[in-house]
Amino acid sequence: MADVQAPVLGEYQVIPHIQPDAMAGSKPYVAKPDHNKPLGFPGELVENWEQKAVAKLGELVNNSRALQVFLDSCVKCGACTDKCHYYLGTSDPKNMPVARQDLLRSVYRRYYTLPGKLFPSLVGARDMTKEVLDEWYSYFHQCSQCRRCSVFCPYGIDTAEISMAAREIMDSVGQGQKYCNEILAKVHRIGNNLGLPGPALEDTLLGLEEDVKEETGIDVKYPVDVKGADVLLVTPSADFFAEPHIDGLIGYGKVFHAAGISWTLSSHASEAGNFGMFVGSSENLHKVAKRIREAALDLGVKRIVVGECGHAWRVAYSFWNTLIGPFDFLDRRYPVPQHICEFTYDLIQQGALKFDKSANDDKVVTFHDSCNVARASRMGSMPGGQFIIPRAVVKASVNKFVDMAPETIFESTYCCGGGGGVLTDELIDLRVKGTQPRMLALRDVVESHGVTHVAAICAICKAQFSKVLPYYKFPMDMIQSVHGLVSKAIQLGPVNQ
Amino acid sequence: MSAMSIIYALLFYVATFIFVAGVGYKIYVFARTPQPLKIPTTPAPITYTGVALRMVREVTLFESLFKSNKWTWLFGWIFHLSLLLAFIRHLRYVLTPDNVLWPIINLELVQTAGKYAGYAMLLGLAGLLARRFVVDRVRYISSPSDYLMLLLLLTIAGSGLLMTFVSHVDIIALKGFVLGLLLFEWQLLPASPFLLIHLTLVALLMIIFPFSKLLHAPGVFFSPTRNQRDNPREQRHVAGWSAQIDNTKSADAG
């Protein structure tokens, strides 16, 4: 991958001219039978896959109003064509949201609409062929399901829904993606994306307790499987080992400690992430989420709090009540589930936490809105709380905060380039190019305001930033966990009664 | 009764049937298809009132398109608004003076606005067509049907304008023909080449409506990213496959 070149950052964001097939060679490794079978998918490409794929498409359309409406309603106005970070970064026209949708819409039109059956070339309808399948495999794995296009579409067409459907169809005929399916199999078997077994998790957490004791002189606990704790914390498993994720986990523990609220992790549900969403599989989405309900009931907790993870927060906030609710066994005075930023923010509002912001005076911080948090969830009681609350937590922890350009944050935020199941080494070229709009906005505040760090609340964003920042001549440790900043500034000790 | 009148009468019955049945069926399909998960594009309204306001802004001001691309918004909005004005003007052919709407339709302002809206419609459509040729990204995503749809609308608007400003038709007779269709007492259709072109293409538009991207008109109201409330924590949402979920059994096992 040494030949991967980062795009040159210009003065401002340009909309490139199209370069057809610029990214035609980009595709992830295909899943092996061992990855597919535990998820209930055929091991490899099945016989008669063409008919089966078309039949599956029909079944999905019949069971999803979103898919039905989105496939029928696009007028090809072009409003979305310059909104995808992968198009801006690669110039490949199939990375324009409408063109990506059309890879699937063309097949839908051919088999499920009258004009497509009668006059396919007139309306851009295509037979389901190997070439089409290969295009699907390549370009539906160049979508991070970030929903930026859906903000700008006059009909709210969300390419994420289309790419989830395409991936589900491919899985159903045995053409799965190795990265996602291997990880899903690990969650089903062990309980987290890393495949970290219970004893290893306990070791890791004991190690953390020692580190924090050494740093602060205070016994902050990182408990696991404690029955009767008030709060079950469900966090992405990257928080257990990766940098800067682990600083966030340390921060959560300090917040719980300072607030005097008992909490626990669960070795059964040691993963907030849910790649079932990325591959569009409702069965896997449900099955992965179910571990959390089981853990909450088993441990007898009153509340569930979710750690810093973008797509996990979408699944938790938007889907958990549907998938694993009702939550009548939890304390309904608190939102179920609650984001760790909401949790910390509420304590800040109550004056229950003390901060020494000067601990972060070596930093000028900006905040990267993660796409699934920004465009597919909420925090707090007001629409837009998902933008305000994490910033408030950052600002409580640092003195110097600067936002990036308005057209690149909030609901218009650019994806980090690694979301939606593309955070795998063989797609590094795509990831480096796809992060170009975000890097440009970051470079601007680095140059104009001396920004030194960018904080995020998503495990994938953090891993992706660590990897791609150096391609743009930024230090990899520029990326921070929001609760890593909290961890630095929070004052422990007598505050906690 | 001329053969031409009979052909056009039949054409309009057929076109109306296909339009009403086709769009009605499609609306039924949109309404019947479940949306198993909550997927509003956030920040989204929390209340029904908020959703209604979001939808009104979307279909009257094209709010999302305005955020997206000012040229497309401008041409698209001009076209749709002038289409609406022209449509209202055309109601004079189907309404009789005893109708409650007649005093409004018959207003000088309404008729004049509808008359000159034809030019605005041409402008809007020409702008949209130009984008398909000029902007490489839009050219890439355009199928033959996308160009033909604009040409169809341009020709409808152009033939209408020609009748208004150049070669007048006998609109009294035309109204007789239209009312005759409604009352099943067929009348003669005035012979005018522009009128025949105009009516043929309008009938064609009605026929292709339920099978084409024109379904965006009913579709936008059913779009889950726009019409769902953002309240998944407060109210458990289930539909379709998600309504089959019963966690009480699995919970006991856990």
Side-chain angles (χ1 to χ4, degrees):
Chain A
M1 293 297 167
D3 57 335
V4 172
Q5 288 288 321
V8 177
L9 299 181
E11 281 291 295
Y12 49 87
Q13 185 69 56
V14 277
I15 301 162
H17 285 292
I18 61 170
Q19 288 175 32
D21 297 328
M23 294 298 283
S26 174
K27 54 176 185 288
Y29 297 140
V30 177
K32 298 200 167 67
D34 287 351
H35 311 131
N36 289 338
K37 285 184 178 154
L39 313 189
F41 304 140
E44 49 199 13
L45 198 60
V46 296
E47 273 182 54
N48 299 327
W49 62 268
E50 295 93 338
Q51 290 92 318
K52 284 175 180 155
V54 169
K56 183 76 180 175
L57 171 60
E59 181 194 319
L60 293 181
V61 170
N62 283 335
N63 288 293
S64 163
R65 181 183 294 162
L67 212 50
Q68 177 77 59
V69 170
F70 296 166
L71 289 175
D72 280 334
S73 298
C74 177
V75 301
K76 318 292 168 82
C77 73
C80 62
T81 55
D82 57 350
K83 301 302 183 279
C84 177
H85 53 287
Y86 289 123
Y87 175 69
L88 295 174
T90 68
S91 309
D92 189 318
K94 292 200 181 85
N95 279 330
M96 302 188 298
V98 47
R100 195 186 313 283
Q101 295 161 23
D102 278 350
L103 298 176
L104 186 132
R105 188 178 284 114
S106 58
V107 176
Y108 166 76
R109 299 227 78 186
R110 182 75 180 98
Y111 295 95
Y112 294 103
T113 69
L114 194 61
K117 287 176 186 169
L118 298 177
F119 319 105
S121 55
L122 184 71
V123 296
R126 299 187 303 174
D127 288 323
M128 187 74 217
T129 61
K130 188 70 172 69
E131 290 75 52
V132 170
L133 182 71
D134 289 344
E135 258 187 356
W136 281 21
Y137 194 72
S138 176
Y139 288 99
F140 284 116
H141 292 108
Q142 299 189 41
C143 170
S144 58
Q145 305 177 343
C146 81
R147 313 187 93 205
R148 192 167 193 269
C149 47
S150 85
V151 171
F152 294 98
C153 173
Y155 318 110
I157 297 174
D158 179 8
T159 312
E161 293 293 316
I162 312 267
S163 92
M164 288 169 192
R167 292 182 191 182
E168 188 176 9
I169 294 166
M170 290 190 282
D171 269 327
S172 77
V173 297
Q175 177 89 350
Q177 183 220 26
K178 174 173 180 267
Y179 170 70
C180 284
N181 290 4
E182 191 174 26
I183 281 177
L184 273 166
K186 271 187 222 166
V187 190
H188 291 329
R189 201 170 66 247
I190 300 167
N192 56 60
N193 288 0
L194 295 175
L196 192 69
L201 177 60
E202 281 171 39
D203 275 357
T204 307
L205 295 170
L206 282 174
L208 273 191
E209 289 179 0
E210 285 167 21
D211 293 348
V212 176
K213 170 89 175 176
E214 210 167 287
E215 175 210 330
T216 62
I218 290 168
D219 285 311
V220 178
K221 293 290 171 202
Y222 291 85
V224 61
D225 294 334
V226 176
K227 292 210 178 205
D230 279 349
V231 171
L232 168 65
L233 178 78
V234 186
T235 204
S237 56
D239 282 4
F240 301 130
F241 84 108
E243 279 290 347
H245 309 60
I246 200 160
D247 305 329
L249 176 61
I250 291 171
Y252 315 152
K254 289 183 182 176
V255 170
F256 283 115
H257 178 92
I261 294 173
S262 69
W263 68 290
T264 185
L265 290 154
S266 158
S267 59
H268 179 65
S270 47
E271 178 61 65
N274 192 332
F275 281 27
M277 183 175 83
F278 294 162
V279 300
S281 160
S282 52
E283 286 86 8
N284 283 285
L285 183 69
H286 183 217
K287 198 171 159 194
V288 172
K290 232 159 65 176
R291 301 182 80 97
I292 289 130
R293 182 184 172 95
E294 289 160 1
L297 281 165
D298 181 46
L299 295 169
V301 295
K302 300 195 186 80
R303 306 165 64 177
I304 305 178
V305 172
V306 179
E308 297 182 2
C309 185
H311 84 279
W313 180 240
R314 177 181 191 186
V315 173
Y317 173 85
S318 293
F319 304 160
W320 272 4
N321 202 0
T322 297
L323 295 172
I324 56 171
F327 291 116
D328 40 17
F329 58 94
L330 296 171
D331 186 343
R332 298 313 307 252
R333 286 175 301 168
Y334 302 97
V336 183
Q338 192 172 28
H339 195 279
I340 187 69
C341 285
E342 291 180 302
F343 181 81
T344 302
Y345 177 76
D346 282 353
L347 293 166
I348 294 170
Q349 298 299 99
Q350 294 162 24
L353 303 177
K354 284 212 173 92
F355 292 92
D356 174 14
K357 295 190 195 186
S358 67
N360 282 313
D361 272 354
D362 56 330
K363 305 181 185 75
V364 182
V365 179
T366 190
F367 179 72
H368 164 75
D369 289 287
S370 297
C371 37
N372 274 300
V373 177
R375 291 184 283 258
S377 80
R378 172 159 60 97
M379 290 182 202
S381 54
M382 293 278 290
Q386 67 268 37
F387 311 129
I388 296 157
I389 288 175
R391 281 177 175 76
V393 172
V394 172
K395 287 176 189 169
S397 312
V398 307
N399 277 315
K400 291 172 268 186
F401 178 83
V402 181
D403 257 323
M404 288 180 276
E407 67 275 15
T408 72
I409 56 171
F410 286 34
E411 66 173 359
S412 302
T413 188
Y414 281 111
C415 172
C416 63
V422 306
L423 191 76
T424 176
D425 285 343
E426 72 268 24
L427 296 179
I428 189 66
D429 183 38
L430 175 80
R431 289 164 54 192
V432 168
K433 288 173 175 156
T435 199
Q436 178 267 329
R438 173 43 78 222
M439 290 300 136
L440 184 65
L442 180 61
R443 191 233 23 217
D444 284 350
V445 285
V446 166
E447 289 182 353
S448 62
H449 290 86
V451 163
T452 61
H453 290 84
V454 52
I457 46 171
C458 170
I460 287 176
C461 292
K462 293 171 199 173
Q464 160 75 353
F465 271 98
S466 303
K467 186 88 178 183
V468 299
L469 279 166
Y471 284 90
Y472 290 87
K473 312 282 183 271
F474 294 120
M476 66 186 289
D477 58 1
M478 192 173 182
I479 178 73
Q480 300 278 306
S481 293
V482 164
H483 277 77
L485 299 170
V486 170
S487 174
K488 274 265 193 290
I490 195 167
Q491 298 295 289
L492 301 176
V495 186
N496 179 21
Q497 301 308 311
Chain B
M1 186 59 48
S2 70
M4 189 67 81
S5 299
I6 294 171
I7 289 169
Y8 273 82
L10 291 174
L11 174 65
F12 268 85
Y13 284 135
V14 169
T16 307
F17 175 77
I18 292 176
F19 175 77
V20 172
V23 176
Y25 174 72
K26 213 65 210 198
I27 289 175
Y28 164 71
V29 168
F30 289 158
R32 154 196 91 178
T33 309
Q35 176 53 39
L37 294 172
K38 278 276 194 177
I39 61 164
T41 306
T42 58
I46 294 170
T47 61
Y48 282 123
T49 315
V51 166
L53 288 173
R54 182 185 206 176
M55 197 57 83
V56 166
R57 290 197 305 274
E58 206 62 88
V59 300
T60 59
L61 304 174
F62 302 179
E63 184 180 41
S64 297
L65 186 57
F66 184 79
K67 282 187 219 169
S68 177
N69 187 305
K70 298 294 186 281
W71 283 112
T72 310
W73 175 84
L74 183 68
F75 292 130
W77 194 75
I78 288 175
F79 162 65
H80 283 86
L81 180 67
S82 47
L83 181 68
L84 178 67
L85 293 174
F87 175 80
I88 293 171
R89 173 171 155 94
H90 280 71
L91 287 176
R92 65 182 178 162
Y93 295 112
V94 291
L95 300 182
T96 47
D98 56 339
N99 191 288
V100 287
L101 289 176
W102 185 259
I104 301 169
I105 302 302
N106 201 37
L107 281 177
E108 181 73 24
L109 180 70
V110 172
Q111 288 299 316
T112 309
K115 194 165 149 182
Y116 289 97
Y119 289 110
M121 203 187 298
L122 283 185
L123 176 77
L125 289 166
L128 292 173
L129 187 60
R131 275 187 63 78
R132 290 211 183 274
F133 285 107
V134 174
V135 181
D136 63 345
R137 304 188 309 282
V138 186
R139 193 165 61 230
Y140 181 87
I141 56 167
S142 299
S143 296
S145 56
D146 297 313
Y147 295 99
L148 290 174
M149 191 69 80
L150 288 169
L151 287 178
L152 176 64
L153 291 164
L154 277 166
T155 316
I156 290 172
S159 55
L161 279 172
L162 284 170
M163 283 184 283
T164 308
F165 292 101
V166 178
S167 169
H168 297 286
V169 290
D170 180 351
I171 59 168
I172 308 292
L174 174 60
K175 181 158 184 172
F177 173 77
V178 174
L179 289 176
L181 287 180
L182 292 173
L183 301 169
F184 296 98
E185 289 170 15
W186 294 0
Q187 307 287 319
L188 265 182
L189 176 68
S192 148
F194 293 134
L195 179 63
L196 297 186
I197 291 169
H198 195 70
L199 292 182
T200 307
L201 297 183
V202 168
L204 181 62
L205 187 71
M206 290 164 74
I207 290 167
I208 62 177
F209 198 110
F211 308 102
S212 69
K213 64 178 185 177
L214 299 177
L215 286 172
H216 69 278
V220 62
F221 295 99
F222 290 94
S223 176
T225 59
R226 293 291 181 270
N227 74 9
Q228 283 189 330
R229 288 181 297 158
D230 174 21
N231 65 344
R233 290 194 290 196
E234 291 77 15
Q235 194 174 323
R236 184 162 185 247
H237 167 90
V238 295
W241 62 257
S242 70
Q244 308 301 315
I245 292 173
D246 180 4
N247 290 306
T248 51
K249 280 174 284 176
S250 57
D252 293 340

